PDB file of all heavy atoms in Angstrom:
ATOM      1  N   GLU A 109      34.350 103.575   1.534  1.00  0.00           N
ATOM      2  CA  GLU A 109      34.895 103.156   0.233  1.00  0.00           C
ATOM      3  C   GLU A 109      36.394 103.019   0.357  1.00  0.00           C
ATOM      4  O   GLU A 109      37.036 103.821   1.035  1.00  0.00           O
ATOM      5  CB  GLU A 109      34.600 104.221  -0.827  1.00  0.00           C
ATOM      6  CG  GLU A 109      33.118 104.436  -1.083  1.00  0.00           C
ATOM      7  CD  GLU A 109      32.877 105.747  -1.819  1.00  0.00           C
ATOM      8  OE1 GLU A 109      33.631 106.044  -2.765  1.00  0.00           O
ATOM      9  OE2 GLU A 109      31.958 106.470  -1.406  1.00  0.00           O
ATOM     10  N   ARG A 111      40.040 102.981  -1.633  1.00  0.00           N
ATOM     11  CA  ARG A 111      40.711 103.375  -2.874  1.00  0.00           C
ATOM     12  C   ARG A 111      42.218 103.393  -2.609  1.00  0.00           C
ATOM     13  O   ARG A 111      42.674 104.124  -1.734  1.00  0.00           O
ATOM     14  CB  ARG A 111      40.249 104.793  -3.255  1.00  0.00           C
ATOM     15  CG  ARG A 111      40.361 105.086  -4.727  1.00  0.00           C
ATOM     16  CD  ARG A 111      40.043 106.535  -5.098  1.00  0.00           C
ATOM     17  NE  ARG A 111      39.170 107.305  -4.268  1.00  0.00           N
ATOM     18  CZ  ARG A 111      39.452 108.569  -3.882  1.00  0.00           C
ATOM     19  NH1 ARG A 111      40.559 109.151  -4.246  1.00  0.00           N
ATOM     20  NH2 ARG A 111      38.598 109.222  -3.127  1.00  0.00           N
ATOM     21  N   GLY A 112      42.941 102.523  -3.318  1.00  0.00           N
ATOM     22  CA  GLY A 112      44.404 102.490  -3.169  1.00  0.00           C
ATOM     23  C   GLY A 112      44.851 102.256  -1.742  1.00  0.00           C
ATOM     24  O   GLY A 112      45.845 102.847  -1.302  1.00  0.00           O
ATOM     25  N   GLY A 113      44.102 101.441  -1.007  1.00  0.00           N
ATOM     26  CA  GLY A 113      44.502 101.120   0.363  1.00  0.00           C
ATOM     27  C   GLY A 113      44.087 102.170   1.380  1.00  0.00           C
ATOM     28  O   GLY A 113      44.375 102.046   2.572  1.00  0.00           O
ATOM     29  N   ARG A 114      43.410 103.241   0.927  1.00  0.00           N
ATOM     30  CA  ARG A 114      42.910 104.267   1.857  1.00  0.00           C
ATOM     31  C   ARG A 114      41.391 104.195   1.905  1.00  0.00           C
ATOM     32  O   ARG A 114      40.766 103.696   0.972  1.00  0.00           O
ATOM     33  CB  ARG A 114      43.349 105.649   1.392  1.00  0.00           C
ATOM     34  CG  ARG A 114      44.844 105.855   1.525  1.00  0.00           C
ATOM     35  CD  ARG A 114      45.222 107.262   1.162  1.00  0.00           C
ATOM     36  NE  ARG A 114      46.505 107.603   1.766  1.00  0.00           N
ATOM     37  CZ  ARG A 114      47.006 108.819   1.818  1.00  0.00           C
ATOM     38  NH1 ARG A 114      46.338 109.836   1.300  1.00  0.00           N
ATOM     39  NH2 ARG A 114      48.166 109.050   2.389  1.00  0.00           N
ATOM     40  N   PHE A 115      40.832 104.722   2.972  1.00  0.00           N
ATOM     41  CA  PHE A 115      39.377 104.614   3.168  1.00  0.00           C
ATOM     42  C   PHE A 115      38.737 106.003   3.174  1.00  0.00           C
ATOM     43  O   PHE A 115      39.324 106.966   3.683  1.00  0.00           O
ATOM     44  CB  PHE A 115      39.086 103.894   4.487  1.00  0.00           C
ATOM     45  CG  PHE A 115      39.653 102.508   4.515  1.00  0.00           C
ATOM     46  CD1 PHE A 115      40.898 102.258   5.084  1.00  0.00           C
ATOM     47  CD2 PHE A 115      38.967 101.447   3.948  1.00  0.00           C
ATOM     48  CE1 PHE A 115      41.433 100.990   5.091  1.00  0.00           C
ATOM     49  CE2 PHE A 115      39.490 100.169   3.939  1.00  0.00           C
ATOM     50  CZ  PHE A 115      40.729  99.935   4.519  1.00  0.00           C
ATOM     51  N   TYR A 116      37.528 106.057   2.602  1.00  0.00           N
ATOM     52  CA  TYR A 116      36.826 107.341   2.467  1.00  0.00           C
ATOM     53  C   TYR A 116      35.350 107.160   2.808  1.00  0.00           C
ATOM     54  O   TYR A 116      34.799 106.063   2.655  1.00  0.00           O
ATOM     55  CB  TYR A 116      36.949 107.867   1.027  1.00  0.00           C
ATOM     56  CG  TYR A 116      38.385 108.124   0.628  1.00  0.00           C
ATOM     57  CD1 TYR A 116      39.173 107.096   0.088  1.00  0.00           C
ATOM     58  CD2 TYR A 116      38.967 109.374   0.803  1.00  0.00           C
ATOM     59  CE1 TYR A 116      40.499 107.316  -0.253  1.00  0.00           C
ATOM     60  CE2 TYR A 116      40.295 109.601   0.460  1.00  0.00           C
ATOM     61  CZ  TYR A 116      41.057 108.571  -0.071  1.00  0.00           C
ATOM     62  OH  TYR A 116      42.365 108.793  -0.401  1.00  0.00           O
ATOM     63  N   VAL A 117      34.731 108.259   3.227  1.00  0.00           N
ATOM     64  CA  VAL A 117      33.284 108.226   3.449  1.00  0.00           C
ATOM     65  C   VAL A 117      32.700 109.575   3.017  1.00  0.00           C
ATOM     66  O   VAL A 117      33.370 110.610   3.116  1.00  0.00           O
ATOM     67  CB  VAL A 117      32.945 107.929   4.936  1.00  0.00           C
ATOM     68  CG1 VAL A 117      33.148 109.160   5.823  1.00  0.00           C
ATOM     69  CG2 VAL A 117      31.525 107.412   5.097  1.00  0.00           C
ATOM     70  N   THR A 118      31.485 109.546   2.508  1.00  0.00           N
ATOM     71  CA  THR A 118      30.809 110.788   2.129  1.00  0.00           C
ATOM     72  C   THR A 118      29.771 111.127   3.200  1.00  0.00           C
ATOM     73  O   THR A 118      28.939 110.277   3.551  1.00  0.00           O
ATOM     74  CB  THR A 118      30.132 110.628   0.752  1.00  0.00           C
ATOM     75  OG1 THR A 118      31.170 110.444  -0.216  1.00  0.00           O
ATOM     76  CG2 THR A 118      29.332 111.869   0.384  1.00  0.00           C
ATOM     77  N   LEU A 132      30.675 106.107  12.412  1.00  0.00           N
ATOM     78  CA  LEU A 132      31.926 105.571  11.856  1.00  0.00           C
ATOM     79  C   LEU A 132      32.505 104.507  12.783  1.00  0.00           C
ATOM     80  O   LEU A 132      32.968 103.454  12.339  1.00  0.00           O
ATOM     81  CB  LEU A 132      32.944 106.697  11.639  1.00  0.00           C
ATOM     82  CG  LEU A 132      32.675 107.658  10.478  1.00  0.00           C
ATOM     83  CD1 LEU A 132      33.680 108.806  10.494  1.00  0.00           C
ATOM     84  CD2 LEU A 132      32.742 106.916   9.140  1.00  0.00           C
ATOM     85  N   PHE A 137      35.670 102.515  12.133  1.00  0.00           N
ATOM     86  CA  PHE A 137      36.503 103.611  11.617  1.00  0.00           C
ATOM     87  C   PHE A 137      36.374 104.865  12.481  1.00  0.00           C
ATOM     88  O   PHE A 137      35.479 104.967  13.322  1.00  0.00           O
ATOM     89  CB  PHE A 137      36.082 103.950  10.175  1.00  0.00           C
ATOM     90  CG  PHE A 137      36.565 102.918   9.189  1.00  0.00           C
ATOM     91  CD1 PHE A 137      35.821 101.756   8.973  1.00  0.00           C
ATOM     92  CD2 PHE A 137      37.763 103.088   8.506  1.00  0.00           C
ATOM     93  CE1 PHE A 137      36.272 100.780   8.093  1.00  0.00           C
ATOM     94  CE2 PHE A 137      38.212 102.115   7.623  1.00  0.00           C
ATOM     95  CZ  PHE A 137      37.467 100.957   7.414  1.00  0.00           C
ATOM     96  N   THR A 138      37.290 105.789  12.245  1.00  0.00           N
ATOM     97  CA  THR A 138      37.217 107.100  12.890  1.00  0.00           C
ATOM     98  C   THR A 138      37.581 108.173  11.871  1.00  0.00           C
ATOM     99  O   THR A 138      38.379 107.912  10.960  1.00  0.00           O
ATOM    100  CB  THR A 138      38.149 107.203  14.115  1.00  0.00           C
ATOM    101  OG1 THR A 138      38.085 108.535  14.653  1.00  0.00           O
ATOM    102  CG2 THR A 138      39.602 106.898  13.769  1.00  0.00           C
ATOM    103  N   LEU A 139      37.000 109.384  12.058  1.00  0.00           N
ATOM    104  CA  LEU A 139      37.432 110.515  11.232  1.00  0.00           C
ATOM    105  C   LEU A 139      38.720 111.099  11.812  1.00  0.00           C
ATOM    106  O   LEU A 139      39.500 111.725  11.117  1.00  0.00           O
ATOM    107  CB  LEU A 139      36.315 111.575  11.202  1.00  0.00           C
ATOM    108  CG  LEU A 139      36.570 112.862  10.409  1.00  0.00           C
ATOM    109  CD1 LEU A 139      36.787 112.557   8.930  1.00  0.00           C
ATOM    110  CD2 LEU A 139      35.411 113.837  10.559  1.00  0.00           C
ATOM    111  N   GLY A 140      38.918 110.895  13.103  1.00  0.00           N
ATOM    112  CA  GLY A 140      40.099 111.468  13.768  1.00  0.00           C
ATOM    113  C   GLY A 140      39.915 112.948  14.068  1.00  0.00           C
ATOM    114  O   GLY A 140      40.874 113.658  14.329  1.00  0.00           O
ATOM    115  N   HIS A 141      38.649 113.425  14.029  1.00  0.00           N
ATOM    116  CA  HIS A 141      38.403 114.850  14.266  1.00  0.00           C
ATOM    117  C   HIS A 141      37.577 115.007  15.549  1.00  0.00           C
ATOM    118  O   HIS A 141      36.409 114.626  15.584  1.00  0.00           O
ATOM    119  CB  HIS A 141      37.650 115.434  13.075  1.00  0.00           C
ATOM    120  CG  HIS A 141      37.571 116.929  13.110  1.00  0.00           C
ATOM    121  ND1 HIS A 141      38.690 117.736  13.013  1.00  0.00           N
ATOM    122  CD2 HIS A 141      36.532 117.774  13.247  1.00  0.00           C
ATOM    123  CE1 HIS A 141      38.328 119.001  13.084  1.00  0.00           C
ATOM    124  NE2 HIS A 141      37.028 119.053  13.235  1.00  0.00           N
ATOM    125  N   TYR A 167      46.152 113.638  13.014  1.00  0.00           N
ATOM    126  CA  TYR A 167      45.238 113.550  11.872  1.00  0.00           C
ATOM    127  C   TYR A 167      45.162 114.842  11.053  1.00  0.00           C
ATOM    128  O   TYR A 167      44.582 114.847   9.978  1.00  0.00           O
ATOM    129  CB  TYR A 167      43.830 113.198  12.366  1.00  0.00           C
ATOM    130  CG  TYR A 167      43.727 111.818  12.976  1.00  0.00           C
ATOM    131  CD1 TYR A 167      43.761 111.642  14.351  1.00  0.00           C
ATOM    132  CD2 TYR A 167      43.606 110.692  12.163  1.00  0.00           C
ATOM    133  CE1 TYR A 167      43.665 110.374  14.914  1.00  0.00           C
ATOM    134  CE2 TYR A 167      43.505 109.426  12.714  1.00  0.00           C
ATOM    135  CZ  TYR A 167      43.534 109.270  14.095  1.00  0.00           C
ATOM    136  OH  TYR A 167      43.439 108.016  14.641  1.00  0.00           O
ATOM    137  N   ILE A 170      40.603 119.826   9.630  1.00  0.00           N
ATOM    138  CA  ILE A 170      39.546 119.266   8.772  1.00  0.00           C
ATOM    139  C   ILE A 170      39.952 119.325   7.300  1.00  0.00           C
ATOM    140  O   ILE A 170      39.646 118.410   6.525  1.00  0.00           O
ATOM    141  CB  ILE A 170      38.184 119.971   9.022  1.00  0.00           C
ATOM    142  CG1 ILE A 170      37.035 119.140   8.458  1.00  0.00           C
ATOM    143  CG2 ILE A 170      38.140 121.375   8.472  1.00  0.00           C
ATOM    144  CD1 ILE A 170      36.730 117.890   9.211  1.00  0.00           C
ATOM    145  N   ASP A 172      42.761 118.806   6.065  1.00  0.00           N
ATOM    146  CA  ASP A 172      43.685 117.703   5.759  1.00  0.00           C
ATOM    147  C   ASP A 172      42.946 116.381   5.559  1.00  0.00           C
ATOM    148  O   ASP A 172      43.477 115.451   4.971  1.00  0.00           O
ATOM    149  CB  ASP A 172      44.709 117.555   6.896  1.00  0.00           C
ATOM    150  CG  ASP A 172      45.476 118.849   7.118  1.00  0.00           C
ATOM    151  OD1 ASP A 172      46.030 119.360   6.140  1.00  0.00           O
ATOM    152  OD2 ASP A 172      45.481 119.358   8.246  1.00  0.00           O
ATOM    153  N   MET A 173      41.732 116.294   6.107  1.00  0.00           N
ATOM    154  CA  MET A 173      40.971 115.036   6.010  1.00  0.00           C
ATOM    155  C   MET A 173      40.015 115.051   4.830  1.00  0.00           C
ATOM    156  O   MET A 173      39.364 114.063   4.544  1.00  0.00           O
ATOM    157  CB  MET A 173      40.109 114.857   7.262  1.00  0.00           C
ATOM    158  CG  MET A 173      40.888 114.885   8.523  1.00  0.00           C
ATOM    159  SD  MET A 173      39.802 115.266   9.898  1.00  0.00           S
ATOM    160  CE  MET A 173      41.055 115.477  11.148  1.00  0.00           C
ATOM    161  N   THR A 174      39.866 116.232   4.202  1.00  0.00           N
ATOM    162  CA  THR A 174      38.827 116.376   3.169  1.00  0.00           C
ATOM    163  C   THR A 174      39.377 116.038   1.794  1.00  0.00           C
ATOM    164  O   THR A 174      40.364 116.626   1.344  1.00  0.00           O
ATOM    165  CB  THR A 174      38.280 117.823   3.178  1.00  0.00           C
ATOM    166  OG1 THR A 174      37.906 118.142   4.518  1.00  0.00           O
ATOM    167  CG2 THR A 174      37.067 117.938   2.284  1.00  0.00           C
ATOM    168  N   ASP A 175      38.697 115.112   1.133  1.00  0.00           N
ATOM    169  CA  ASP A 175      39.112 114.693  -0.203  1.00  0.00           C
ATOM    170  C   ASP A 175      38.363 115.500  -1.271  1.00  0.00           C
ATOM    171  O   ASP A 175      38.920 115.822  -2.318  1.00  0.00           O
ATOM    172  CB  ASP A 175      38.788 113.193  -0.330  1.00  0.00           C
ATOM    173  CG  ASP A 175      39.215 112.610  -1.652  1.00  0.00           C
ATOM    174  OD1 ASP A 175      40.399 112.791  -2.006  1.00  0.00           O
ATOM    175  OD2 ASP A 175      38.377 111.998  -2.341  1.00  0.00           O
ATOM    176  N   ALA A 176      37.083 115.806  -1.032  1.00  0.00           N
ATOM    177  CA  ALA A 176      36.290 116.547  -2.023  1.00  0.00           C
ATOM    178  C   ALA A 176      35.096 117.192  -1.331  1.00  0.00           C
ATOM    179  O   ALA A 176      34.617 116.681  -0.314  1.00  0.00           O
ATOM    180  CB  ALA A 176      35.798 115.587  -3.110  1.00  0.00           C
ATOM    181  N   ALA A 218      30.556 116.295   1.805  1.00  0.00           N
ATOM    182  CA  ALA A 218      32.011 116.231   1.626  1.00  0.00           C
ATOM    183  C   ALA A 218      32.454 114.778   1.714  1.00  0.00           C
ATOM    184  O   ALA A 218      31.801 113.952   2.360  1.00  0.00           O
ATOM    185  CB  ALA A 218      32.711 117.055   2.703  1.00  0.00           C
ATOM    186  N   ARG A 219      33.548 114.499   1.004  1.00  0.00           N
ATOM    187  CA  ARG A 219      34.130 113.143   1.131  1.00  0.00           C
ATOM    188  C   ARG A 219      35.397 113.271   1.978  1.00  0.00           C
ATOM    189  O   ARG A 219      36.272 114.089   1.675  1.00  0.00           O
ATOM    190  CB  ARG A 219      34.468 112.582  -0.255  1.00  0.00           C
ATOM    191  CG  ARG A 219      34.875 111.115  -0.196  1.00  0.00           C
ATOM    192  CD  ARG A 219      34.886 110.483  -1.575  1.00  0.00           C
ATOM    193  NE  ARG A 219      35.775 111.187  -2.468  1.00  0.00           N
ATOM    194  CZ  ARG A 219      35.513 111.428  -3.764  1.00  0.00           C
ATOM    195  NH1 ARG A 219      34.400 111.006  -4.318  1.00  0.00           N
ATOM    196  NH2 ARG A 219      36.384 112.085  -4.509  1.00  0.00           N
ATOM    197  N   PHE A 220      35.419 112.468   3.053  1.00  0.00           N
ATOM    198  CA  PHE A 220      36.536 112.544   3.999  1.00  0.00           C
ATOM    199  C   PHE A 220      37.356 111.263   3.977  1.00  0.00           C
ATOM    200  O   PHE A 220      36.808 110.170   3.789  1.00  0.00           O
ATOM    201  CB  PHE A 220      36.019 112.717   5.435  1.00  0.00           C
ATOM    202  CG  PHE A 220      35.297 114.009   5.660  1.00  0.00           C
ATOM    203  CD1 PHE A 220      33.916 114.027   5.827  1.00  0.00           C
ATOM    204  CD2 PHE A 220      35.988 115.208   5.705  1.00  0.00           C
ATOM    205  CE1 PHE A 220      33.236 115.216   6.034  1.00  0.00           C
ATOM    206  CE2 PHE A 220      35.314 116.404   5.909  1.00  0.00           C
ATOM    207  CZ  PHE A 220      33.942 116.415   6.080  1.00  0.00           C
ATOM    208  N   ARG A 221      38.641 111.408   4.228  1.00  0.00           N
ATOM    209  CA  ARG A 221      39.453 110.227   4.478  1.00  0.00           C
ATOM    210  C   ARG A 221      39.167 109.772   5.904  1.00  0.00           C
ATOM    211  O   ARG A 221      39.099 110.604   6.816  1.00  0.00           O
ATOM    212  CB  ARG A 221      40.936 110.576   4.327  1.00  0.00           C
ATOM    213  CG  ARG A 221      41.774 109.353   4.453  1.00  0.00           C
ATOM    214  CD  ARG A 221      43.209 109.574   4.065  1.00  0.00           C
ATOM    215  NE  ARG A 221      43.943 108.371   4.437  1.00  0.00           N
ATOM    216  CZ  ARG A 221      45.216 108.346   4.733  1.00  0.00           C
ATOM    217  NH1 ARG A 221      45.927 109.446   4.660  1.00  0.00           N
ATOM    218  NH2 ARG A 221      45.796 107.208   5.067  1.00  0.00           N
ATOM    219  N   VAL A 222      38.964 108.477   6.100  1.00  0.00           N
ATOM    220  CA  VAL A 222      38.743 107.954   7.462  1.00  0.00           C
ATOM    221  C   VAL A 222      39.769 106.871   7.751  1.00  0.00           C
ATOM    222  O   VAL A 222      40.432 106.368   6.835  1.00  0.00           O
ATOM    223  CB  VAL A 222      37.296 107.413   7.639  1.00  0.00           C
ATOM    224  CG1 VAL A 222      36.282 108.539   7.608  1.00  0.00           C
ATOM    225  CG2 VAL A 222      36.950 106.362   6.586  1.00  0.00           C
ATOM    226  N   PHE A 223      39.893 106.522   9.021  1.00  0.00           N
ATOM    227  CA  PHE A 223      40.974 105.622   9.451  1.00  0.00           C
ATOM    228  C   PHE A 223      40.409 104.476  10.286  1.00  0.00           C
ATOM    229  O   PHE A 223      39.487 104.686  11.085  1.00  0.00           O
ATOM    230  CB  PHE A 223      41.979 106.405  10.317  1.00  0.00           C
ATOM    231  CG  PHE A 223      42.572 107.574   9.591  1.00  0.00           C
ATOM    232  CD1 PHE A 223      41.894 108.792   9.532  1.00  0.00           C
ATOM    233  CD2 PHE A 223      43.786 107.460   8.929  1.00  0.00           C
ATOM    234  CE1 PHE A 223      42.416 109.873   8.830  1.00  0.00           C
ATOM    235  CE2 PHE A 223      44.316 108.539   8.228  1.00  0.00           C
ATOM    236  CZ  PHE A 223      43.628 109.741   8.178  1.00  0.00           C
ATOM    237  N   PRO A 224      40.967 103.251  10.113  1.00  0.00           N
ATOM    238  CA  PRO A 224      40.526 102.160  10.994  1.00  0.00           C
ATOM    239  C   PRO A 224      40.765 102.565  12.454  1.00  0.00           C
ATOM    240  O   PRO A 224      41.763 103.236  12.761  1.00  0.00           O
ATOM    241  CB  PRO A 224      41.436 100.994  10.592  1.00  0.00           C
ATOM    242  CG  PRO A 224      41.906 101.328   9.210  1.00  0.00           C
ATOM    243  CD  PRO A 224      41.981 102.827   9.134  1.00  0.00           C
TER     244      PRO A 224
END
Side-chain angles (χ1 to χ4, degrees):
E109 297 164 43
R111 205 186 334 134
R114 291 185 158 191
F115 300 95
Y116 298 87
V117 77
T118 295
L132 287 173
F137 285 84
T138 177
L139 179 62
H141 190 65
Y167 294 99
I170 197 71
D172 303 307
M173 304 160 189
T174 308
D175 182 53
R219 188 166 58 219
F220 295 108
R221 185 169 171 207
V222 291
F223 302 83

